[in-house]
Amino acid sequence: AGAPPPPPPPAAPQPPLAEGEVAAAAVASESWHASPYELRCGEGAGSSQCYLPLDAASFSVRGREYFADGKKAPSARGASELLAVELFRAKSPVEAVGSRRSAPSHTLQQRTASPLASVFVVSLVIPAGSGGVLQLVLYFGVLAAAASGPAHQLLRAFTAPDTSDAWRNGRFKIIPGVEAGPWIVRKAVGNKSTPAILGKQLKQTFSSSPGVFEVAVDCNSSPAAGRIVSMVKSQARHLAVDLAFLIEPQSASELAERVLGCVRISHVSLANGLIPAYCGTEGEDE
């Protein structure tokens, strides 16, 4: 018999994970269950009935010298990762929706190997007729790696328990755009060129639970906004709508501006049979 084959060479040593990444990588491999209200994450620009993550650099924000030169620049990488989106019908707005027991908030770390510092939830409450509402809920995992710099300091101030709602209402900003859809809707919504401080026109409420901060926006609390929302709803299945959320810097020391989180809602039909009704049972907290 011939000599036995030589043993395989030893595997090259792997660099150690940074502090905090070991637990995150391990947890990310565990199983988790989506809530019954989650939209699927699409796979490309033509996807429908889904959401798509976006590159924060596709939005122009206030640059480092904005108060001197008025110039905007593409945002740095978003301070968070979009990890879940829910869309459902309800008889009335579900308050603190991101803190209920079966909310995706509690499984976001299992969905990513990136260590998360906290969860930021944006709940958009949209009138649905007959006294009911549609609720679009965006779940952003705030990245531990982004826990520095002026934008992070603004986020910490925004979510601090002693911060006034008046301060928050004067800072929370949206940049909307329509990537695909009829011209009249594009004109009404804008094309990522018309940012707005939401609290100047719309009623907002703020809530928190351990590790989770939530902003709920009543999209029908302004007549002008209500007309735009109605137009978008009527054309929703033909639209790809891009949204970015920011906390606006209002002094030179708070620059540069940075997108907190962003999303594309892609060709979502709002037909009754396609949007689940919130039941508040089977583990859901009302």
Side-chain angles (χ1 to χ4, degrees):
Q14 298 297 313
L17 291 171
E19 182 179 358
E21 290 183 340
V22 175
V27 173
S29 67
E30 296 177 0
S31 61
W32 51 269
H33 299 285
S35 92
Y37 311 117
E38 289 190 41
L39 275 179
R40 70 182 182 90
C41 182
E43 298 178 354
S47 302
S48 61
Q49 210 67 19
C50 66
Y51 76 90
L52 294 165
L54 289 179
D55 183 352
S58 66
F59 295 88
S60 292
V61 299
R62 296 180 171 190
R64 292 188 182 277
E65 304 298 328
Y66 177 81
F67 292 112
D69 59 21
K71 292 182 179 179
K72 295 186 176 182
S75 173
R77 180 188 177 191
S80 70
E81 186 176 350
L82 177 65
L83 294 169
V85 175
E86 292 185 303
L87 177 62
F88 55 82
R89 295 179 181 273
K91 294 179 180 178
S92 59
V94 180
E95 298 179 357
V97 64
S99 296
R100 70 189 201 278
R101 270 193 315 237
S102 60
S105 309
H106 308 300
T107 63
L108 290 198
Q109 184 62 89
Q110 296 174 352
R111 305 179 188 214
T112 177
S114 300
L116 301 180
S118 61
V119 175
F120 194 93
V121 180
V122 179
S123 175
L124 303 177
V125 180
I126 303 162
S130 304
V133 298
L134 290 164
Q135 203 154 337
L136 177 67
V137 191
L138 312 172
Y139 293 86
F140 298 101
V142 179
L143 299 167
S148 62
H152 177 69
Q153 295 302 319
L154 276 177
L155 178 60
R156 287 187 63 184
F158 190 89
T159 58
D162 57 349
T163 298
S164 71
D165 287 355
W167 191 90
R168 293 175 178 137
N169 281 328
R171 296 278 190 154
F172 194 55
K173 181 191 243 181
I174 188 172
I175 303 177
V178 176
E179 181 65 21
W183 173 84
I184 191 171
V185 182
R186 288 175 179 239
K187 184 177 180 181
V189 174
N191 189 23
K192 299 183 182 178
S193 59
T194 312
I197 298 293
L198 285 169
K200 290 185 176 180
Q201 298 290 333
L202 299 175
K203 179 182 177 182
Q204 299 181 127
T205 55
F206 308 94
S207 60
S208 62
S209 60
V212 179
F213 189 89
E214 180 173 330
V215 182
V217 183
D218 182 350
C219 295
N220 200 41
S221 50
S222 154
R227 287 190 292 271
I228 294 174
V229 168
S230 179
M231 181 186 299
V232 170
K233 280 171 49 186
S234 69
Q235 298 289 329
R237 67 190 179 94
H238 303 295
L239 302 177
V241 178
D242 293 352
L243 302 172
F245 299 94
L246 313 88
I247 300 168
E248 184 179 77
Q250 296 179 358
S251 68
S253 63
E254 295 172 343
L255 294 170
E257 192 169 41
R258 183 180 189 178
V259 167
L260 171 59
C262 50
V263 64
R264 173 173 295 168
I265 304 300
S266 185
H267 302 282
V268 173
S269 172
L270 301 178
N272 283 337
L274 296 176
I275 307 300
Y278 182 76
C279 59
T281 58
E282 299 180 0
E284 299 287 348
D285 290 340
E286 290 192 280

